Amino acid sequence: MVKLGERVTIAMDGPAGSGKSTVARKVAEKLGLLYLDSGAMYRAVTVLAIQHKTQTNMVKLIELVKACEITFDDNGKKIFLNSADVSDQIRTPEVNRLVADIAKVPEIRTEIVRHQQKIGADGGIIAEGRDLTTVVFPHADFKIYLDASMQERAKRRFAELQSQNVDTTLETVENEIKTRDEKDTSREHSPLRPAEDATRVDTTGKTIDEVVDFIVKIVGK
Ligand code: DC
């Protein structure tokens, strides 16, 4: 049993739009944990590729990743690439389109996973992504796999993009999510899959607060 306040590690995986980042952020606030958005790191690497025009030159990109510095501030709300704030840049449609192909490169994953393990070395963290329960923190105190129906995930992403004034349609968003799911689950290295010992939570029809309370209860039990 883990008491609140101890340096717990919570690992959470799930597909795009399952609610991972919003839920993890809120759990982090409630339990006083560090929040690690692992997807943001692959997104920052994609910004690095765009900056250096190495989107298709993986040999060069791997070198750049080995030499770059990715840091967070404001408990995961801000991300810096070589000291520059790229928090907005990592969410552009161009990054959305490119990131899955960059995140599948094994040498890039090795570098990023090592960095994530360093950040989480002392516990006191909730980390979310696609391989946190299976590869990055396989011995986490709590492992959670969040999911929701495709329609619900697309609706959530669409609403999020609309609030950011991004001009798109529900159909486009649904197709983008389908393509990303396909790439994330079928890649050779660290594909998205539920860890055998993960608690599976279907968030379809549930509010964020319901899911947050459920997780806080599991951790506090
Ligand atoms: O969670 P997100 O949408 O910000 O993730 C962006 C991309 O990064 C997504 O296509 C999957 C990939 N990713 C990954 O491969 N491993 C992780 N731990 C997190 C994200």
Side-chain angles (χ1 to χ4, degrees):
M1 187 163 64
V2 178
K3 283 195 230 97
L4 294 188
E6 281 184 11
R7 303 198 67 77
V8 295
T9 298
I10 308 175
M12 187 188 285
D13 287 321
S18 56
K20 293 182 310 285
S21 49
T22 316
V23 167
R25 222 181 266 282
K26 287 205 165 195
V27 172
E29 271 169 27
K30 283 206 166 185
L31 300 183
L33 301 173
L34 188 69
Y35 165 58
L36 176 63
D37 174 356
S38 69
M41 298 176 80
Y42 292 100
R43 288 173 176 273
V45 171
T46 308
V47 170
L48 185 70
I50 295 167
Q51 283 174 350
H52 292 266
K53 301 193 172 35
T54 54
Q55 294 95 318
T56 53
N57 182 347
M58 289 307 138
V59 174
K60 181 81 189 132
L61 183 58
I62 292 162
E63 264 176 42
L64 289 166
V65 170
K66 284 185 178 163
C68 84
E69 198 184 59
I70 298 173
T71 50
F72 289 95
D73 197 7
D74 203 5
N75 206 11
K77 288 198 189 82
K78 290 205 172 300
I79 181 163
F80 296 81
L81 172 65
N82 294 326
S83 306
D85 185 348
V86 290
S87 314
D88 292 333
Q89 279 176 64
I90 64 166
R91 306 285 166 198
T92 61
E94 188 182 15
V95 171
N96 287 345
R97 191 167 45 79
L98 294 171
V99 62
D101 283 326
I102 286 178
K104 74 179 182 198
V105 180
E107 293 87 345
I108 291 178
R109 299 201 71 82
T110 304
E111 285 300 313
I112 297 297
V113 166
R114 200 177 294 146
H115 192 11
Q116 290 162 353
Q117 288 171 334
K118 238 189 242 169
I119 293 173
D122 296 330
I125 189 169
I126 178 162
E128 54 91 359
R130 305 296 192 285
D131 62 345
L132 277 298
T133 59
T134 53
V135 177
V136 185
F137 301 121
H139 305 298
D141 302 299
F142 300 94
K143 297 190 192 184
I144 293 152
Y145 189 86
L146 280 200
D147 210 348
S149 71
M150 168 61 73
Q151 287 86 347
E152 175 126 353
R153 293 193 284 128
K155 266 198 240 158
R156 287 178 190 164
R157 248 312 131 88
F158 180 58
E160 191 184 322
L161 291 168
Q162 274 194 316
S163 74
Q164 295 160 358
N165 294 320
V166 176
D167 185 23
T168 186
T169 63
L170 181 60
E171 199 189 350
T172 309
V173 174
E174 189 165 332
N175 285 332
E176 274 170 11
I177 288 188
K178 275 187 193 150
T179 309
R180 215 126 66 79
D181 276 2
E182 173 63 25
K183 286 185 179 174
D184 292 344
T185 53
S186 66
R187 70 177 176 222
E188 198 182 338
H189 294 275
S190 316
L192 170 66
R193 62 176 174 81
E196 270 173 28
D197 52 351
T199 303
R200 296 176 76 142
V201 183
D202 185 348
T203 68
T204 312
K206 291 199 179 76
T207 65
I208 295 290
D209 286 337
E210 280 170 340
V211 181
V212 170
D213 288 346
F214 177 76
I215 294 170
V216 169
K217 249 183 224 150
I218 299 181
V219 177
K221 244 184 202 162

